[in-house]
Every structure is written in C-alpha cells, then in structure tokens.
Amino acid sequence: MSRLVKLAALQTHYGADLQDNIDRTIALIRQAASAGAQIILPSELFQGPYFCTTQDERWFASAYPALEHPCVTQLQPIAAELGVVIPVSIFEREGPRYYNSVVVLDADGTALGTYRKSHIPDGPGYQEKYYFRPGDTGFKVWNTRYAKIGVGICWDQWYPEAARAMALLGAEVLFYPTAIGSEPHDGTLDTRDPWRRAMQGHAVSNIMPVVAANRIGVEQGLGDDQHFYGSSFIADHRGDLIADLSRTEEGIAAGTIDLTFLDRHRAAWGFFRDRRPELYDLN
C-alpha cells in the first residue's frame, strides 16, 4: 500500500512587524493545508527582515528561547488545528548563546525538538557569524505523523555531507528553509541556478525529495539592498522539479510523493549498499 504525502513550500516577503509576518505565514499555511498539504515549510527567519546583512547589536533583542518564540507558540495551535507538520525557523536564545534554529512541530502541535544551523556563513550580505554560534545539535531526523524528515537551514543546503548525514539517520524527505538573494559585493553574480542544482543533486544522490522555501522582495535600510530571488521548489528523487515558484511570486509550491515507492527505489539504486565509509575520513 502506498504512503502518499503532500509537501508544500511557502514563499512571500517579510518586514519589520513580527505579528504581521506570523499572520502572513499562517495565511499561507492555511492555503497550503486547504490544498491538501501535510508537511508545510516556511522560509528561514520569517520573524522579520533578514537582519544579517550588517552587524547591529539591536537584533539580539529579537531572539527568544526556542519554545517561547512567538513563531513557535502561535504556529503550534495552527499545526494542531490543521493536522499539519511545520518546521519553524527562528532566532533562538539559550542563556548567553544565540542560534539560527528550527523547531519541528508535529501534526498535533507538539514540538518534537530543535535543530541548530551547523554551517554559519560570513560574507558580504550574509554576516551570520556575528549573530549565531555554530549549531551544537548535530544533524537530526524527526519521525512526524506523515514522514521521517530531515531539516537543514540555508547554508547547510550547499553541503552534501549534511544531506547524506540526514539520509543515513533515516530521513525520507529533506527540507531547507532559506533566505538568499543578491550578492552585494558583485551585482553580476546570480546564484539562483547553482542554489537549486546543489539541492537537486542531494535529491539524486540520496534518492530523496527535497523541499526549499525562500523569501521574495527587496529589503532596504540594513546595509546594501538585498534582493531575495524566491524560486522556492520541490524536487523529486530524480532531482526534477515537481513544483516551483518564480523569483517574485507569492504563494505555495506543492507536490505529492510516494514514500513506499521511494523506499524500495532507494534500495534498488544501491547508493547506501555500496558506500565505503572507511575510505571517506579525510577531514
């Protein structure tokens, strides 16, 4: 018997008003759920503007303990009401430590746990090392009501090791909340296609669907203008796009996968059977 699961990525713009951002996200979650989506991914740090374009200490005040974050506490009853799984991206504070994190909400609203972003970028327009410590959770997989899911955060999505680690832990689908756009040091550099291809490669190499949710719009007043290029998508186990959005479109990308078929197909390819981990420890 097939295990069919409908996945969705959300895409919209965000601003300075936390409550408006949460309300905007909830509206899209309801839209996705009404279309039958069961696991729904908002984009990275949807609590506000992507503040990491500059180094400004005022943003530390926008962090919360994971289970007290308004994005978590307000989406928990939504997850329970709609019976959907939601990975919630937040700016997390734990004592004097700050992280870029995801809290995974199961379909009854239960917080299954927290993943902290492992790879922290530090470059023009993406100065995250000023704000976030490298994650200390290691990679995780959650057994949700509908599927075993792995979640990486933005810069994590470029690393094949991260995707493979989650696959080895038993993930059936990989999710990547993202905030990515223009490169302020080089106006001619457009990373949209390599960004997609990196994750499509993870889908192929792990015989596993990948869902990526990015934001859209131009955010100003935080250093150089940042133009987010959207292009959220769902790739199937072949890396083919089964749903995607444009660079400017607000809405949802949704698609259905068959986990029973994928489990058998993954075994048939032999990528995990033929691994040689004793040869890979090169640091």
Side-chain angles (χ1 to χ4, degrees):
M1 183 175 180
S2 295
R3 293 171 56 215
L4 301 180
V5 179
K6 190 163 187 177
L7 315 171
L10 310 183
Q11 182 168 290
T12 187
H13 65 279
Y14 291 108
D17 188 322
L18 170 64
Q19 191 57 54
D20 180 70
N21 295 330
I22 294 173
D23 292 344
R24 180 184 305 278
T25 302
I26 289 173
L28 286 171
I29 290 170
R30 290 190 180 281
Q31 180 184 340
S34 69
Q38 296 160 298
I39 309 178
I40 302 172
L41 181 68
S43 60
E44 181 186 20
L45 295 172
F46 66 85
Q47 66 182 60
Y50 179 74
F51 52 83
C52 306
T53 53
T54 59
Q55 298 182 15
D56 187 335
E57 65 183 42
R58 66 188 165 114
W59 294 107
F60 288 108
S62 66
Y64 292 81
L67 298 184
E68 299 173 20
H69 198 292
C71 291
V72 174
T73 59
Q74 293 192 46
L75 263 58
Q76 281 184 290
I78 300 299
E81 174 194 342
L82 301 175
V84 296
V85 174
I86 311 171
V88 182
S89 173
I90 62 168
F91 186 13
E92 180 194 2
R93 174 174 57 84
E94 183 187 57
R97 295 169 294 277
Y98 294 81
Y99 301 95
N100 187 338
S101 302
V102 161
V103 176
V104 175
L105 302 181
D106 206 357
D108 61 357
T110 300
L112 297 180
T114 301
Y115 166 71
R116 292 168 173 164
K117 187 173 181 177
S118 299
H119 303 93
I120 309 297
D122 185 26
Y126 303 92
Q127 300 181 48
E128 294 194 14
K129 279 189 167 65
Y130 177 75
Y131 298 100
F132 312 129
R133 296 167 63 100
D136 58 0
T137 58
F139 300 108
K140 289 189 170 186
V141 167
W142 286 275
N143 190 12
T144 74
R145 179 181 296 180
Y146 304 113
K148 294 178 181 177
I149 69 170
V151 184
I153 304 172
C154 202
W155 195 227
D156 289 332
Q157 68 208 353
W158 296 87
Y159 292 83
E161 299 91 342
R164 178 52 55 86
M166 290 185 281
L168 289 171
L169 288 169
E172 296 173 302
V173 189
L174 300 178
F175 291 84
Y176 294 102
T178 301
I180 191 171
S182 56
E183 305 290 338
H185 68 291
D186 184 353
T188 68
L189 181 58
D190 183 351
T191 63
R192 197 285 299 266
D193 290 348
W195 171 75
R196 280 186 164 184
R197 289 178 190 136
M199 287 178 280
Q200 289 171 275
H202 303 332
V204 174
S205 296
N206 295 289
I207 316 295
M208 187 170 297
V210 170
V211 182
N214 192 18
R215 64 175 68 196
I216 57 173
V218 180
E219 296 184 6
Q220 301 172 310
L222 298 172
D224 293 318
D225 291 355
Q226 180 60 283
H227 299 249
F228 293 96
Y229 52 58
S231 304
S232 304
F233 68 91
I234 300 173
D236 68 10
H237 62 287
R238 293 168 41 88
D240 296 330
L241 300 186
I242 61 173
D244 71 325
L245 295 165
S246 74
R247 291 173 180 261
T248 59
E249 167 178 26
E250 179 175 278
I252 64 172
T256 300
I257 60 170
D258 183 342
L259 294 176
T260 301
F261 162 76
L262 289 171
D263 186 53
R264 182 177 67 249
H265 197 57
R266 191 178 303 114
W269 268 88
F271 288 161
F272 295 89
R273 178 197 64 208
D274 298 337
R275 292 181 69 247
R276 295 292 306 281
E278 72 275 12
L279 303 180
Y280 304 155
D281 188 13
L282 302 178
N283 297 322

